[in-house]
Amino acid sequence: MFRFLLFLPVLMNFTATYSQSKKTIDSINTLYVQGLNIPQDSIVALFQQNLKDAEKISYELGMAGAHSQLSLVYAYQGKYEESTKSSIEGIKIYEKLNQLDRVADYYAEMGYSMKYRDMEKALYYMQKGKAIAEANNFENELKDIYNNYGVLKEINKELDSALFYFEKGLQIKLKLNDTIGIPYSWSNLAGVYGLQENFSKSREYFSKSLQQRLQWADSLGIAENYTQLGEVFVAEQKWRNAIPLVHKSLPISKKKQYQNLTQYNYKLLSDIYKKLKNTDSALYYFEQYAAIKDSVHGLKVQERIAALNVEFETEKKQNEILQQRAQLAEKDLEVRRKNTFIFGSLGLALILGLLGYLLYNQQKLRNRQLQKEGELKTALAKIETQNKLQEQRLRISRDLHDNIGAQLTFIISSIDNLKFGFTDISEKLGSKLSNISSFTQQTIYELRDTIWAMNKENITFEDLQARIANFIEHAKNASEKTDFSFNIEGNIDEAHVFSSVVGMNIYRIIQEAVNNALKYASADEIEVNISEKEAKYNIEITDDGIGFDQDNTELGNGLNNMKKRAREVGGTLQIKSSKKGTSVLLKVPK
């Protein structure tokens, strides 16, 4: 620590002496903020001086880089107003310089920083940055954007999508050998596994991340991992195992002025001591938590940040309007020049005809303008109706999740209490209770799938892929003797959009076919293959089980429901079965 403090004045003096050097400014802007083991205020001073040096020589790229670093440091300190100001200033410069990779990164960082304050804005800016990076294949930016987009999905309880994007980000980081970024992906994957109650896998990934960060001396990352490992023990109700891990994190987050993590550590300790009925410690840590929370999340700070975002969007729209006016002025000037030439060439006889023509054109333009305004009003009304429908859909899905989901969980808990609360319960009754519990658990899974579909107006192949992959992962855990494989041809367009009804029906057909193979086929291998042929998507589920006699077997509700769903999506369903196995082929028109 002492050596780094000696280094800082030397570095500040170096930048002051060579303030005219663009290379020096760029080298400071590329410093890894999380790895600087110096006080946060000193880091702020370093980048503020670098910003001044860039401004002295009008080096716009250096100014934008300094704003980017300041935005990140302010966010760690919980100074969200300053962070937002720096982000907006940086975006303006990068857009002016047409640095699309930095624009994409900036929008994504703005979205990520708003995740706990304004999720709607967070998704808006994150998706804006993601779209720019994907359109230009900016892998260096996408590896972090996918990772942070997964965090937003996790906060929204979309765990399947969160795992999907975390894995996408991790694959790019492994490809680029991003040794600093890889532990962040491991930590995020571990967090989702924890939410899925796969605690052993969660602890494994957190520990991998911690070991990597200890090698790199990534102070903030180390603090986060200690807290996260403590959270795993809390989820397992091993309260005393969690306490030392949180106490390892707390002094690091305080020293680095990482206000969000410090606040969370205090709250976590308060909750743990409350569970242990140690009221003095619980009260002490809750008071520390409340003091930091008031300073970080004050109402006035939130209002100022919202005002900055409105000001930023308004300024962009005003600039676009000014550009359109300039273009219209140029076109108007060109028309006037042509008119003057015609007037001078043809004389007075043509002036009257030209005036009539101009009046006719003006009326035509006015009519077209009125038509456009009418179309705009209709479009706005349609958008408003769609927004209201989406809000109603979200409200219904929350009610289903919070009320029916909670009630079904209560039923399962009550049945388990009945089974283990009475020692003299009969075997037949116990079996019946187990069947009811399994049926109720299955109903919860189907309810989650329904809520997932309701929350989406449209479902892409990308969404469907993540959902099917998660379902097959559960199927693997349920049947260890059966091998599963899930394959999608490379020419499939992952961005292809289905309506939520069509997407859900396709998912249900795949789910029913796999469940039938597990229950009745005694199969060693089950495959799900998706391909495209003759303007149709071919979705085939095959197994190598015992098959069934289609002519002499009465079709149950499951197969009939599959055929009904296929008709509803305008597709066809073909079922072939023999002693060597069964094939279910769904063809859906593009």
Side-chain angles (χ1 to χ4, degrees), residues 62-78:
M63 292 159 57
H67 280 303
S68 175
Q69 295 288 56
L70 284 169
S71 173
L72 183 60
V73 179
Y74 285 138
Y76 276 122
Q77 290 181 323

PDB file of all heavy atoms in Angstrom, residues 62-78:
ATOM      1  N   GLY A  62      -9.083  11.778 -25.595  1.00  0.00           N
ATOM      2  CA  GLY A  62      -8.577  11.683 -24.221  1.00  0.00           C
ATOM      3  C   GLY A  62      -9.580  12.196 -23.206  1.00  0.00           C
ATOM      4  O   GLY A  62      -9.719  11.642 -22.110  1.00  0.00           O
ATOM      5  N   MET A  63     -10.311  13.278 -23.574  1.00  0.00           N
ATOM      6  CA  MET A  63     -11.354  13.799 -22.675  1.00  0.00           C
ATOM      7  C   MET A  63     -12.444  12.762 -22.454  1.00  0.00           C
ATOM      8  O   MET A  63     -12.906  12.534 -21.328  1.00  0.00           O
ATOM      9  CB  MET A  63     -11.946  15.080 -23.278  1.00  0.00           C
ATOM     10  CG  MET A  63     -10.979  16.253 -23.320  1.00  0.00           C
ATOM     11  SD  MET A  63     -11.437  17.518 -24.541  1.00  0.00           S
ATOM     12  CE  MET A  63     -13.075  17.950 -24.005  1.00  0.00           C
ATOM     13  N   ALA A  64     -12.870  12.103 -23.538  1.00  0.00           N
ATOM     14  CA  ALA A  64     -13.924  11.083 -23.429  1.00  0.00           C
ATOM     15  C   ALA A  64     -13.462   9.916 -22.569  1.00  0.00           C
ATOM     16  O   ALA A  64     -14.218   9.394 -21.735  1.00  0.00           O
ATOM     17  CB  ALA A  64     -14.322  10.584 -24.817  1.00  0.00           C
ATOM     18  N   GLY A  65     -12.203   9.486 -22.749  1.00  0.00           N
ATOM     19  CA  GLY A  65     -11.674   8.382 -21.936  1.00  0.00           C
ATOM     20  C   GLY A  65     -11.627   8.724 -20.460  1.00  0.00           C
ATOM     21  O   GLY A  65     -11.928   7.892 -19.603  1.00  0.00           O
ATOM     22  N   ALA A  66     -11.243   9.951 -20.140  1.00  0.00           N
ATOM     23  CA  ALA A  66     -11.201  10.375 -18.736  1.00  0.00           C
ATOM     24  C   ALA A  66     -12.603  10.407 -18.133  1.00  0.00           C
ATOM     25  O   ALA A  66     -12.817  10.008 -16.985  1.00  0.00           O
ATOM     26  CB  ALA A  66     -10.543  11.753 -18.638  1.00  0.00           C
ATOM     27  N   HIS A  67     -13.590  10.907 -18.900  1.00  0.00           N
ATOM     28  CA  HIS A  67     -14.982  10.880 -18.430  1.00  0.00           C
ATOM     29  C   HIS A  67     -15.436   9.449 -18.154  1.00  0.00           C
ATOM     30  O   HIS A  67     -16.139   9.187 -17.168  1.00  0.00           O
ATOM     31  CB  HIS A  67     -15.904  11.513 -19.472  1.00  0.00           C
ATOM     32  CG  HIS A  67     -15.913  13.019 -19.448  1.00  0.00           C
ATOM     33  ND1 HIS A  67     -16.236  13.741 -18.315  1.00  0.00           N
ATOM     34  CD2 HIS A  67     -15.647  13.923 -20.427  1.00  0.00           C
ATOM     35  CE1 HIS A  67     -16.172  15.047 -18.601  1.00  0.00           C
ATOM     36  NE2 HIS A  67     -15.803  15.178 -19.869  1.00  0.00           N
ATOM     37  N   SER A  68     -15.032   8.519 -18.998  1.00  0.00           N
ATOM     38  CA  SER A  68     -15.417   7.111 -18.828  1.00  0.00           C
ATOM     39  C   SER A  68     -14.886   6.557 -17.509  1.00  0.00           C
ATOM     40  O   SER A  68     -15.614   5.903 -16.748  1.00  0.00           O
ATOM     41  CB  SER A  68     -14.887   6.289 -20.002  1.00  0.00           C
ATOM     42  OG  SER A  68     -15.143   4.930 -19.813  1.00  0.00           O
ATOM     43  N   GLN A  69     -13.607   6.817 -17.231  1.00  0.00           N
ATOM     44  CA  GLN A  69     -13.014   6.314 -15.990  1.00  0.00           C
ATOM     45  C   GLN A  69     -13.634   6.983 -14.760  1.00  0.00           C
ATOM     46  O   GLN A  69     -13.894   6.336 -13.741  1.00  0.00           O
ATOM     47  CB  GLN A  69     -11.495   6.549 -16.008  1.00  0.00           C
ATOM     48  CG  GLN A  69     -10.755   5.770 -17.088  1.00  0.00           C
ATOM     49  CD  GLN A  69     -10.672   4.284 -16.787  1.00  0.00           C
ATOM     50  OE1 GLN A  69     -11.699   3.635 -16.594  1.00  0.00           O
ATOM     51  NE2 GLN A  69      -9.478   3.760 -16.730  1.00  0.00           N
ATOM     52  N   LEU A  70     -13.889   8.292 -14.847  1.00  0.00           N
ATOM     53  CA  LEU A  70     -14.525   8.997 -13.721  1.00  0.00           C
ATOM     54  C   LEU A  70     -15.920   8.455 -13.458  1.00  0.00           C
ATOM     55  O   LEU A  70     -16.332   8.292 -12.297  1.00  0.00           O
ATOM     56  CB  LEU A  70     -14.591  10.495 -14.025  1.00  0.00           C
ATOM     57  CG  LEU A  70     -13.281  11.272 -13.872  1.00  0.00           C
ATOM     58  CD1 LEU A  70     -13.421  12.673 -14.452  1.00  0.00           C
ATOM     59  CD2 LEU A  70     -12.868  11.354 -12.403  1.00  0.00           C
ATOM     60  N   SER A  71     -16.658   8.150 -14.506  1.00  0.00           N
ATOM     61  CA  SER A  71     -18.007   7.592 -14.342  1.00  0.00           C
ATOM     62  C   SER A  71     -17.962   6.289 -13.559  1.00  0.00           C
ATOM     63  O   SER A  71     -18.773   6.046 -12.664  1.00  0.00           O
ATOM     64  CB  SER A  71     -18.644   7.364 -15.710  1.00  0.00           C
ATOM     65  OG  SER A  71     -19.869   6.682 -15.598  1.00  0.00           O
ATOM     66  N   LEU A  72     -16.976   5.418 -13.888  1.00  0.00           N
ATOM     67  CA  LEU A  72     -16.849   4.131 -13.219  1.00  0.00           C
ATOM     68  C   LEU A  72     -16.488   4.308 -11.743  1.00  0.00           C
ATOM     69  O   LEU A  72     -17.073   3.668 -10.857  1.00  0.00           O
ATOM     70  CB  LEU A  72     -15.790   3.292 -13.933  1.00  0.00           C
ATOM     71  CG  LEU A  72     -15.558   1.882 -13.410  1.00  0.00           C
ATOM     72  CD1 LEU A  72     -16.837   1.062 -13.498  1.00  0.00           C
ATOM     73  CD2 LEU A  72     -14.443   1.200 -14.200  1.00  0.00           C
ATOM     74  N   VAL A  73     -15.520   5.197 -11.443  1.00  0.00           N
ATOM     75  CA  VAL A  73     -15.086   5.413 -10.059  1.00  0.00           C
ATOM     76  C   VAL A  73     -16.229   5.995  -9.223  1.00  0.00           C
ATOM     77  O   VAL A  73     -16.483   5.561  -8.098  1.00  0.00           O
ATOM     78  CB  VAL A  73     -13.858   6.343 -10.014  1.00  0.00           C
ATOM     79  CG1 VAL A  73     -13.434   6.584  -8.570  1.00  0.00           C
ATOM     80  CG2 VAL A  73     -12.703   5.746 -10.798  1.00  0.00           C
ATOM     81  N   TYR A  74     -16.945   7.000  -9.783  1.00  0.00           N
ATOM     82  CA  TYR A  74     -18.073   7.601  -9.066  1.00  0.00           C
ATOM     83  C   TYR A  74     -19.157   6.556  -8.766  1.00  0.00           C
ATOM     84  O   TYR A  74     -19.785   6.592  -7.702  1.00  0.00           O
ATOM     85  CB  TYR A  74     -18.675   8.743  -9.881  1.00  0.00           C
ATOM     86  CG  TYR A  74     -17.846  10.006  -9.886  1.00  0.00           C
ATOM     87  CD1 TYR A  74     -17.657  10.746 -11.049  1.00  0.00           C
ATOM     88  CD2 TYR A  74     -17.253  10.481  -8.709  1.00  0.00           C
ATOM     89  CE1 TYR A  74     -16.905  11.913 -11.065  1.00  0.00           C
ATOM     90  CE2 TYR A  74     -16.497  11.642  -8.719  1.00  0.00           C
ATOM     91  CZ  TYR A  74     -16.321  12.361  -9.900  1.00  0.00           C
ATOM     92  OH  TYR A  74     -15.579  13.504  -9.899  1.00  0.00           O
ATOM     93  N   ALA A  75     -19.390   5.641  -9.693  1.00  0.00           N
ATOM     94  CA  ALA A  75     -20.409   4.599  -9.486  1.00  0.00           C
ATOM     95  C   ALA A  75     -20.023   3.697  -8.318  1.00  0.00           C
ATOM     96  O   ALA A  75     -20.867   3.324  -7.498  1.00  0.00           O
ATOM     97  CB  ALA A  75     -20.595   3.775 -10.760  1.00  0.00           C
ATOM     98  N   TYR A  76     -18.732   3.325  -8.231  1.00  0.00           N
ATOM     99  CA  TYR A  76     -18.276   2.508  -7.104  1.00  0.00           C
ATOM    100  C   TYR A  76     -18.454   3.241  -5.768  1.00  0.00           C
ATOM    101  O   TYR A  76     -18.728   2.640  -4.735  1.00  0.00           O
ATOM    102  CB  TYR A  76     -16.808   2.120  -7.271  1.00  0.00           C
ATOM    103  CG  TYR A  76     -16.595   0.906  -8.140  1.00  0.00           C
ATOM    104  CD1 TYR A  76     -15.801   0.955  -9.282  1.00  0.00           C
ATOM    105  CD2 TYR A  76     -17.198  -0.311  -7.829  1.00  0.00           C
ATOM    106  CE1 TYR A  76     -15.618  -0.156 -10.090  1.00  0.00           C
ATOM    107  CE2 TYR A  76     -17.013  -1.428  -8.623  1.00  0.00           C
ATOM    108  CZ  TYR A  76     -16.227  -1.349  -9.747  1.00  0.00           C
ATOM    109  OH  TYR A  76     -16.045  -2.454 -10.539  1.00  0.00           O
ATOM    110  N   GLN A  77     -18.288   4.572  -5.789  1.00  0.00           N
ATOM    111  CA  GLN A  77     -18.418   5.359  -4.570  1.00  0.00           C
ATOM    112  C   GLN A  77     -19.873   5.628  -4.208  1.00  0.00           C
ATOM    113  O   GLN A  77     -20.153   6.160  -3.151  1.00  0.00           O
ATOM    114  CB  GLN A  77     -17.688   6.699  -4.737  1.00  0.00           C
ATOM    115  CG  GLN A  77     -16.172   6.568  -4.790  1.00  0.00           C
ATOM    116  CD  GLN A  77     -15.490   7.921  -4.937  1.00  0.00           C
ATOM    117  OE1 GLN A  77     -15.977   8.800  -5.632  1.00  0.00           O
ATOM    118  NE2 GLN A  77     -14.364   8.092  -4.272  1.00  0.00           N
ATOM    119  N   GLY A  78     -20.816   5.283  -5.096  1.00  0.00           N
ATOM    120  CA  GLY A  78     -22.227   5.573  -4.854  1.00  0.00           C
ATOM    121  C   GLY A  78     -22.601   7.004  -5.198  1.00  0.00           C
ATOM    122  O   GLY A  78     -23.689   7.464  -4.837  1.00  0.00           O
TER     123      GLY A  78
END
